[in-house]
Amino acid sequence: LKHARATDEALEEARKIDCSVCQEATRPRVPRPAVVPKNILPFQVVSIDIKEVVDHANVTRKLLNIVDNCSKLQVVVPLTRPFDSRKIREVYMAEWVRHYGAPDELWVDQARNNLGPAMVDGCAQDSTVLRDIAGEAHHQLGVAERHGGLFADALKKVLLSAKISNEYEFKIAI
């Protein structure tokens, strides 16, 4: 049509037409470039984050979300008051380090309770490098935040479908 000197309107209309022959003859699209794999081993780099969920009694609860950056193994533990660095360190040691050992690096967001003295000193004792990552960084969104969001969605479905009614059942649901 271009070589026949068709009008611009005719060319636009021709571009809108789809035929089965053209669809079958189209080349496959080039896949998006893959993310370059990171050279880390399981339990070498771990991310932690605090996730808020609504429980069976419509009360907002805080959960400690711990995710291995290589295997994506996730451990979620309910937190009790006070929500300070000592409490987070205590739960982290009991639920992660006791089972899997101390990682080489621990990635946390820049919240005060994640970077408190108990957490900083405890990581120094374990020879764990404590890396504070910006809360909206792609590291956090890709690992701890995203997995925490998936967990929160799954927990909401469990709470609705199983008709959780007490604290014991809520802990089992987690």
Side-chain angles (χ1 to χ4, degrees), residues 46-52 62-67 74-77 79 88 92 106-111 113-114 119 133 135 140-141 143-149:
V46 173
S47 295
I48 65 170
D49 191 32
I50 295 177
K51 188 74 184 161
E52 290 186 351
K62 292 191 181 220
L63 306 175
L64 182 63
N65 180 29
I66 310 168
V67 182
Q74 180 178 23
V75 175
V76 180
V77 185
L79 287 174
I88 292 172
Y92 165 73
L106 180 64
W107 293 1
V108 299
D109 57 9
Q110 296 174 341
N113 48 8
N114 290 338
M119 198 61 148
I133 305 293
Q140 285 292 85
L141 291 175
V143 182
E145 294 290 333
R146 189 178 53 159
H147 285 274

Side-chain angles (χ1 to χ4, degrees), residues 29-51:
R29 292 182 173 228
V30 176
R32 220 180 76 179
V35 176
V36 178
K38 295 173 181 65
N39 191 15
I40 57 173
L41 298 172
F43 311 114
Q44 191 176 26
V45 179
V46 173
S47 295
I48 65 170
D49 191 32
I50 295 177
K51 188 74 184 161

Side-chain angles (χ1 to χ4, degrees), residues 18-145:
D18 286 331
C19 69
S20 60
V21 175
C22 294
Q23 289 176 353
E24 290 177 15
T26 57
R27 290 183 173 174
R29 292 182 173 228
V30 176
R32 220 180 76 179
V35 176
V36 178
K38 295 173 181 65
N39 191 15
I40 57 173
L41 298 172
F43 311 114
Q44 191 176 26
V45 179
V46 173
S47 295
I48 65 170
D49 191 32
I50 295 177
K51 188 74 184 161
E52 290 186 351
V53 297
V54 177
D55 69 0
H56 60 284
N58 286 336
V59 176
T60 302
R61 303 277 299 264
K62 292 191 181 220
L63 306 175
L64 182 63
N65 180 29
I66 310 168
V67 182
D68 175 38
N69 290 15
C70 178
S71 68
K72 307 301 186 240
L73 173 70
Q74 180 178 23
V75 175
V76 180
V77 185
L79 287 174
T80 56
R81 295 191 185 276
F83 305 117
D84 58 358
S85 65
R86 185 193 58 76
K87 180 58 118 179
I88 292 172
R89 173 75 181 168
E90 180 182 300
V91 172
Y92 165 73
M93 292 296 289
E95 300 297 331
W96 187 270
V97 175
R98 183 173 58 133
H99 300 292
Y100 309 111
D104 293 342
E105 287 187 25
L106 180 64
W107 293 1
V108 299
D109 57 9
Q110 296 174 341
R112 278 184 308 141
N113 48 8
N114 290 338
L115 296 172
M119 198 61 148
V120 172
D121 296 342
C123 285
Q125 291 172 357
D126 296 340
S127 298
T128 298
V129 176
L130 185 65
R131 289 189 55 202
D132 58 326
I133 305 293
E136 298 299 319
H138 67 281
H139 300 295
Q140 285 292 85
L141 291 175
V143 182
E145 294 290 333

